[in-house]
Amino acid sequence: MSPDAFSRSVNGQRSFSALELIDLAEVLGTSMHWLATGEPDPYELKLSARHTFDPETRSHIAHDWRQAKEVVESAALAIRQADYKPKQDLVDLSSRSPTDAALMARRTLTGSAGADFVNSFPDAIEAAFGVPIFVYGHQHKFDAYAALINEVAFIVVEESGTWYRINWALAHELGHILRKDLLSPDTARDDSTAEAWANAFAAELLMPANRMREIDWNSLDDAALVKVVWDLQVSAEALSNRLSSGVVRGVRRQDLLQRPTIRTLEQFVGPFPVMTRSERFRRPRFPVALLDAHRRLVEESRSSGQTLAWMLGVPVEEINSSWGLPRENDLDSLTAAFGIADSAV
């Protein structure tokens, strides 16, 4: 816009066009709905509390919400296009302490997927809470985001071989969702309180206090200590922080937990088991129900197939090829048609 046109629009002498409002909203980091009404957009993407901590200055850095939106917008679009709705309503644990909330969540996960739910954590979360889990890469580096679109809460985590970081990220973001603190980036928020709550929730969910107290930490040799890290499927640093939090008193030997997790596990558990587990989140993962919903949209000619092609990692031309998509109701033939192993989806 020219300075004159902008000045006249601001002063009410001319109206902003729709395209100008879109550009203006992007520059200001807000929505057209807010510019037009002064109210939050009820359909706007909402995100979990987030801040970046600078260990050198010991201060929190404002988060780049525009980058966060870019990371999750593909998953949000897939949910919106399919008009996806979870099978159950989310439990509201916002009034609970993080410890109580984690205990309740752990009971739900265990009842749905068994005591070893962390072995297939994304599947367990989807089955227990109806929260879709996406794993994919992006041009921006990130760990994980919890988001809300059309009243559907979902989690996006970055492809990575560090399963222990992803397990923590999933637990942390699930905490935000169950606390119901997902807000529009324009909304004033207390990120520090929300982040502390989610961290405490994740620690209790993955490293329950009662299990920590059952272990005689000072009698463990190095191999036994590393086996605890392996069994919990968290990082050595996360376990060290948990032990330092006061949940267990008098733990003296934590020197081994200060070493890099992967190298320590390779030394005591072995390279092959570590390599095998590292493959768990190295490939994209999308909710099966969402894949199936987009397959039906393409079959019914209600979608161009772009989103399904993105999720399957194939050119859209293959989706719309003359032989068409498999018509079975399950995904077995779909994954076979594109040469995708079941574990990839």
Side-chain angles (χ1 to χ4, degrees):
M1 296 179 68
S2 69
D4 177 65
F6 183 77
S7 176
R8 286 188 292 114
S9 295
V10 170
N11 288 294
Q13 297 169 0
R14 71 179 286 276
S15 298
F16 285 103
S17 71
L19 291 177
E20 288 168 348
L21 280 176
I22 291 173
D23 290 340
L24 187 59
E26 184 170 344
V27 169
L28 295 176
T30 187
S31 66
M32 281 184 63
H33 188 281
W34 185 87
L35 287 177
T37 67
E39 298 292 335
D41 184 349
Y43 300 103
E44 185 181 9
L45 186 73
K46 295 178 175 63
L47 294 159
S48 59
R50 184 61 61 111
H51 60 236
T52 302
F53 184 72
D54 185 344
E56 293 185 3
T57 62
R58 307 293 298 175
S59 62
H60 296 292
I61 304 170
H63 191 68
D64 187 345
W65 291 111
R66 187 175 302 180
Q67 174 179 314
K69 285 183 176 180
E70 289 181 20
V71 168
V72 304
E73 63 184 2
S74 295
L77 178 63
I79 290 172
R80 194 186 300 114
Q81 286 177 334
D83 194 24
Y84 176 84
K85 301 295 181 188
K87 293 181 180 179
Q88 66 260 47
D89 293 331
L90 272 174
V91 60
D92 184 352
L93 300 180
S94 57
S95 62
R96 302 277 183 169
S97 71
T99 298
D100 287 345
L103 290 172
M104 294 179 68
R106 188 175 182 86
R107 283 197 294 269
T108 303
L109 286 162
T110 300
S112 177
D116 59 348
F117 61 82
V118 75
N119 282 330
S120 53
F121 209 6
D123 295 338
I125 291 174
E126 287 181 352
F129 300 104
V131 174
I133 308 296
F134 297 80
V135 180
Y136 56 75
H138 194 271
Q139 62 178 342
H140 297 301
K141 297 296 293 180
F142 70 102
D143 285 328
Y145 287 107
L148 184 75
I149 192 72
N150 291 3
E151 299 306 312
V152 178
F154 63 97
I155 299 173
V156 177
V157 294
E158 186 177 31
E159 291 177 51
S160 169
T162 51
W163 71 88
Y164 43 87
R165 288 181 62 89
I166 291 182
N167 285 338
W168 177 270
L170 286 170
H172 179 96
E173 300 304 332
L174 179 62
H176 282 302
I177 289 173
L178 297 180
R179 188 173 181 260
K180 298 207 167 181
D181 60 23
L182 279 64
L183 300 169
S184 164
D186 296 331
T187 305
R189 59 173 77 211
D190 183 357
D191 284 354
S192 295
T193 299
E195 287 287 85
W197 195 99
N199 279 331
F201 172 90
E204 180 62 35
L205 184 66
L206 297 176
M207 297 169 282
N210 60 353
R211 182 173 180 183
M212 297 295 98
R213 295 181 184 121
E214 289 172 353
I215 299 172
D216 183 359
W217 296 96
N218 294 322
S219 70
L220 299 181
D221 60 19
D222 287 352
L225 182 59
V226 173
K227 187 177 186 306
V228 174
V229 175
W230 178 256
D231 291 343
L232 290 173
Q233 302 200 42
V234 297
S235 69
E237 180 185 14
L239 180 56
S240 177
N241 291 339
R242 182 65 163 155
L243 295 177
S244 300
S245 69
V247 68
V248 181
R249 300 189 181 279
V251 179
R252 296 186 299 275
R253 50 175 321 281
Q254 294 190 41
D255 52 303
L256 192 66
L257 299 180
Q258 308 308 314
R259 295 168 51 185
T261 301
I262 286 288
R263 288 209 296 268
T264 303
L265 290 174
E266 286 177 340
Q267 177 183 351
F268 288 93
V269 179
F272 183 73
V274 172
M275 180 183 67
T276 301
R277 189 176 282 184
S278 295
E279 292 300 312
R280 186 176 294 175
F281 295 109
R282 283 195 188 278
R283 294 176 294 181
R285 178 208 185 271
F286 300 94
V288 170
L290 197 62
L291 279 163
D292 201 37
H294 276 272
R295 177 188 60 80
R296 289 194 299 270
L297 289 176
V298 173
E299 285 185 341
E300 296 165 4
S301 300
R302 293 192 291 128
S303 169
S304 67
Q306 289 280 0
T307 301
L308 182 60
W310 166 69
M311 289 192 287
L312 293 174
V314 300
V316 69
E317 291 78 15
E318 292 189 31
I319 297 292
N320 295 310
S321 60
S322 58
W323 52 268
L325 285 168
R327 304 198 65 84
E328 287 81 357
N329 289 328
D330 60 77
L331 285 175
D332 292 342
S333 56
L334 182 66
T335 55
F338 291 106
I340 301 172
D342 289 345
S343 60
V345 295

